[in-house]
């Protein structure tokens, strides 16, 4: 099926270069989509049905703030402004989480959010995604969902939501286009109900034979 060059799982040498210390092959799916498009919700379903480990870049960054890390204040300020945290920080968190996991299949949610994220991850880990799951949703629907998410997040307010939408269009869409040019994007209509969206997701993760 896929070409040799685009083989999804990296070979063990590359992974060792990227400091995943053991000999395991790693499969990564990037899960992208605007804020509120349902990435986290669908990832929870995919974990249950398909045995992936869910790594949310946003959750890892929020945990880093809580842990009292020296970067905490900087991360908090960037999240409040809807800005993208420097890749050095986020890639390290993702890499550590993959190393600590006993799984070899990861959903990386909300990452890469810009070209710098994309290039840094690939350079540091040597990992290329198997595919990119893209949740396509209107801003109107995403805004409605974010304003009723009720998780007490500092960025789920009108002002920050505007900024996050702008960053998504200007910085994250180009990453999706980059992978689309490589035929790696699996696009889902995320404006439907949670169950309907998951039906579409399932068909993407279920190998056709
Ligand atoms: N298909 C859907 N229809 C309606 N609400 C949804 C749907 N998917 C998720 N939600 C809700 O919208 C909010 C944002 O979803 P979430 O999964 O956190 O999105 P993201 O991680 O992309 O920001 C949550 O409160 C979630 O329960
Ligand atoms: N790759 C990433 C992911 C998130 N973030 C920051 O974390 C915020 C929240 O990300 P998130 O993925 O939890 O947000 P949602 O899209 O799930 O609503 C983003 O707006 C960024 O400020 C980042 O800087 N870099
Ligand atoms: Mg999320």
């Amino acid at each position: 099926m896929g070409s040799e060059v685009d083989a999804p799982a990296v070979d063990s040498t590359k992974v060792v270069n990227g400091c995943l210390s053991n000999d395991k092959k790693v499969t990564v799916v990037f899960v992208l989509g605007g804020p509120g498009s349902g990435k986290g919700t669908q990832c929870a379903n995919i974990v249950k049905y398909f045995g992936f480990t869910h790594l949310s870049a946003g959750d890892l960054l929020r945990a880093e703030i809580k842990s009292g890390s020296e970067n905490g204040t900087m991360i908090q300020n960037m999240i409040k402004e809807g800005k993208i945290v420097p890749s050095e920080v986020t890639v390290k968190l993702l890499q550590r989480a993959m190393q600590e996991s006993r799984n070899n299949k990861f959903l990386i949610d909300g990452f890469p959010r810009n070209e710098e994220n994309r290039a840094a991850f690939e350079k540091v880990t040597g990992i290329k995604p198997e595919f990119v799951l893209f949740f396509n949703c209107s801003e109107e629907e995403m805004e409605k969902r974010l304003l009723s998410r009720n998780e007490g997040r500092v960025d789920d307010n009108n002002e920050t939501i505007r900024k996050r939408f702008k960053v998504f269009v200007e910085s994250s869409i180009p990453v999706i286009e980059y992978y689309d040019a490589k035929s790696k994007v699996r696009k889902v209509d995320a404006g439907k109900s949670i169950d309907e969206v998951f039906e579409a997701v399932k068909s993407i993760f279920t190998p056709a034979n």
Side-chain angles (χ1 to χ4, degrees):
M1 242 183 56
S3 72
E4 288 282 288
V5 183
D6 264 345
V10 290
D11 68 65
S12 52
T13 327
K14 265 292 199 187
V15 178
V16 170
N17 284 342
C19 302
L20 286 187
S21 53
N22 49 16
D23 204 17
K24 66 186 180 184
K25 284 201 171 188
V26 174
T27 298
V28 162
V29 173
F30 288 146
V31 182
L32 298 178
S37 59
K39 301 181 294 296
T41 304
Q42 296 299 331
C43 281
N45 285 336
I46 300 165
V47 164
K48 278 193 224 143
Y49 273 72
F50 298 101
F52 279 74
T53 291
H54 175 206
L55 300 179
S56 156
D59 287 351
L60 288 169
L61 289 167
R62 285 183 286 272
E64 189 69 358
I65 297 169
K66 275 207 187 134
S67 79
S69 135
E70 55 174 350
N71 286 322
T73 309
M74 178 274 289
I75 298 171
Q76 172 82 355
N77 290 337
M78 298 205 79
I79 288 180
K80 183 120 204 298
E81 286 304 309
K83 293 185 179 156
I84 298 170
V85 173
S87 303
E88 192 195 343
V89 172
T90 316
V91 170
K92 245 182 225 159
L93 294 173
L94 288 168
Q95 193 180 25
R96 188 170 69 197
M98 287 194 290
Q99 282 165 357
E100 287 172 358
S101 171
R102 294 171 58 185
N103 204 346
N104 63 347
K105 297 188 332 183
F106 300 99
L107 295 170
I108 300 196
D109 159 8
F111 183 98
R113 259 184 158 88
N114 62 8
E115 168 59 21
E116 192 213 2
N117 272 183
R118 187 200 66 71
F121 182 86
E122 197 176 311
K123 186 168 177 218
V124 171
T125 68
I127 297 170
K128 289 184 179 172
E130 170 124 21
F131 60 84
V132 175
L133 185 61
F134 168 41
F135 291 117
N136 190 38
C137 195
S138 69
E139 287 193 357
E140 190 190 2
E141 175 66 21
M142 293 194 289
E143 177 172 10
K144 208 170 70 189
R145 293 180 189 176
L146 291 173
L147 291 175
S148 53
R149 180 151 61 180
N150 277 328
E151 288 179 1
R153 280 175 49 165
V154 293
D155 54 349
D156 282 348
N157 58 75
N158 269 312
E159 196 188 335
T160 314
I161 288 169
R162 292 284 127 256
K163 295 179 180 169
R164 290 159 74 197
F165 284 170
K166 191 164 188 288
V167 167
F168 178 68
V169 171
E170 290 176 359
S171 303
S172 309
I173 297 263
V175 174
I176 294 162
E177 286 169 350
Y178 170 91
Y179 286 115
D180 198 33
K182 296 182 180 301
S183 304
K184 285 208 167 185
V185 175
R186 310 286 179 268
K187 182 171 166 179
V188 171
D189 177 359
K192 298 182 176 168
S193 72
I194 292 175
D195 288 350
E196 284 171 310
V197 175
F198 191 52
E199 282 308 309
V201 168
K202 262 198 248 174
S203 70
I204 290 168
F205 279 84
T206 307
N209 47 57

